[in-house]
Amino acid sequence: MHQFHYVDGALHCEQVPLSSLAAEVGTPFYCYSHQTLTSHLSAFQKAFAPVDHLVCFSVKVNSNLAILSTLFGRGAGADIVSGGELYRALKAGADPKKIVYSGVGKREDEIRYALQAGILMFNVESPLEAVTINRVAEEVGEIAHISLRINPDVDPMTHPYISTGLKKNKFGIAIDRALVEYREARTLSSVRVVGVDCHIGSQITQLSPFVDALAKLKELVHTLRSEGFDIRYLDIGGGLGIPYSDETPPLPSEYGRAVIDAVGDLGCTLVTEPGRVIAGNAGVLVSRVLYTKEGEEKRFLICDAAMNDLVRPSLYGSFHDIRPLVQAPETITADLVGPICESTDFLAKDRRLADLQPGDLFAVMSAGAYGFIMGSNYNSRTRVPEVLVQGDRWWVVRKRETYEDLVRGETIPKELG
Ligand SMILES: *Cc1c(COP(=O)(O)O)cnc(C)c1O
C-alpha cells in the first residue's frame, strides 16, 4: 500500500498535489510519503511481534537523514555497509545498539569507527575480515560481537545482479565451510561469536527461497550450539520484494509468519534487514517532458530526469510504472528517455503511456529505494532535491545541488603547465 493517489484526476502524495510541489521546487525531484514509510515499518514490526526481534532498516536503500530519522524514531535499527552509512545513521539518531554492520569489504578505519560507536555486531563475510576485526578490537580495547554471514546456496529467483546467496556470489561464507570458520573465529581473543547471518538477494517475490535458506541456517545453529557456541542472534537479512508492476510478493505478515514457523523456536533474537519493502513504494521521481520526437522506428519522449537520477532501468532493466500527474489514458507506445549521452539512458522502453506533450509532468513510481541514493553527477547534472510529505505538509529534505556543488573540492594546480 502506498499514498500516491489521484484525487480529481491530479496525482497526490498524501494530501499534497505533486504538481504544486513541482511548481515550488522545480523538476526533477524525488518525493517521499511519510505515512507510507511508517506504515510499512510498522507492518514489518508487527509481523515479527510474536518473537524477540530487531528490524534494522537497510540504510543503503535510502539514506536521507529525514527518512532515517523517521524510521529510527519508530524503533527501527540500522543495517549499514560503510563508515559513511554509520555516520549518517548516528546523525539521524540511530541507537548504536541497534546497528548491524554488513558488507564484504570493511576497512580498518571503518571497523574502528564502528567499535568506538558501540554497534550491536558485525556481519563478517570472510575469514580474513574476522582476523582484521579481532586485531582492531584488540587495539581499541573492545570485544567485537560478530555473526558470520553464511551463503546458504539457494537461488532467490531474482535478477542475477541482485542475487547474493548463490555459491558463485562474492558474499558470505559457503555453508559447507561454516563450521570450520566458526571454530576458527572462536580462537580470536577480541571477538565474540554471537550469531548467524544471511542475506540471499533482493526483490524476492516468493517465500520458498527464504524458507529453504532458513532451514539450512537452523541446522547450522543447532550444530553450533552442540559445539558450545552461544548463538543468540539470527539475522535473516532483507530481500523481500515489492510490486513494481504485476508482481505479487508475500506481504510482510506472510513473510513474518513463514520465518517464525521456520526458526521462531530457536530462541534467537530475529534480526531483519528490510530495505526495499520499507522505502520502495514510499517514493516517486517527478519529471517533466521536454520534447517529443518521432524516430525512424519509435516515438521518444525526452524528459528532464535521466539515468543519473534513477539508474535502475539502465542498470537492471527494471520496470517502473509511469503515471502522468494529470490522469490520462495510455494511448501511445514510446520510449521515455533522459538527456544523457548514452543509449541506456531510459526510464521506460516500448511502454504504453499517456500522450504526454512538452511541459507535461509525470511520476516514476516505486522510486523510494535504490533511487536518489544511486544517483550521480554524470554529465555534470546536479543531483535533484528530495521532498518529504506528511499529510498536507511538506519539506525539502535535501536541496537541489548547484553548479558550485558540482566542482566543490576540485582544484587546478597552479604549477600545471
Ligand atoms: C541490500 C541489503 C539489504 C536490503 O535488501 P532489500 O532487498 O532492499 O531489502 C539487507 N542486507 C544486506 C546485507 C544488504 O546488502
Side-chain angles (χ1 to χ4, degrees), residues 109-292:
D109 63 294
E110 294 176 310
I111 294 167
R112 192 170 304 115
Y113 181 25
L115 283 168
Q116 284 161 347
I119 67 164
L120 179 65
M121 64 181 167
F122 294 86
N123 289 331
V124 170
E125 304 222 12
S126 62
L128 278 180
E129 184 194 329
V131 171
T132 303
I133 290 176
N134 183 60
R135 187 176 63 243
V136 179
E138 202 158 13
E139 270 167 35
V140 301
E142 299 277 347
I143 301 290
H145 289 197
I146 66 166
S147 291
L148 297 191
R149 175 165 173 182
I150 301 305
N151 185 335
D153 194 31
V154 298
D155 185 352
M157 295 178 273
T158 183
H159 190 284
Y161 284 13
I162 52 176
S163 79
T164 55
L166 284 165
K167 268 193 181 147
K168 64 181 178 192
N169 297 131
K170 70 178 177 182
F171 301 96
I173 292 164
I175 189 142
D176 31 1
R177 294 276 315 160
L179 196 52
V180 176
E181 301 304 345
Y182 267 94
R183 288 174 184 152
E184 200 59 39
R186 185 150 63 174
T187 67
L188 303 169
S189 57
S190 294
V191 153
R192 182 169 305 144
V193 178
V194 296
V196 173
D197 168 52
C198 82
H199 170 72
I200 58 174
S202 198
Q203 186 52 16
I204 300 170
T205 54
Q206 299 163 57
L207 285 175
S208 56
F210 293 112
V211 172
D212 292 350
L214 291 176
K216 294 188 178 191
L217 294 191
K218 183 173 188 172
E219 202 184 310
L220 176 61
V221 170
H222 284 312
T223 309
L224 291 170
R225 284 180 172 164
S226 73
E227 293 211 2
F229 285 92
D230 181 16
I231 301 298
R232 281 173 277 159
Y233 294 95
L234 181 59
D235 184 336
I236 63 172
L240 188 58
I242 62 170
Y244 283 99
S245 59
D246 51 9
E247 303 95 329
T248 50
L251 295 169
S253 56
E254 295 163 335
Y255 170 72
R257 210 170 304 128
V259 171
I260 292 171
D261 278 351
V263 292
D265 59 351
L266 280 176
C268 290
T269 298
L270 285 185
V271 180
T272 58
E273 302 169 352
R276 192 190 306 271
V277 70
I278 305 286
N281 283 321
V284 300
L285 171 64
V286 178
S287 170
R288 183 183 299 277
V289 175
L290 298 173
Y291 303 105
T292 55

Side-chain angles (χ1 to χ4, degrees), residues 99-112:
I99 297 179
V100 298
Y101 190 170
S102 307
V104 290
K106 305 176 186 78
R107 292 192 312 258
E108 286 193 20
D109 63 294
E110 294 176 310
I111 294 167
R112 192 170 304 115

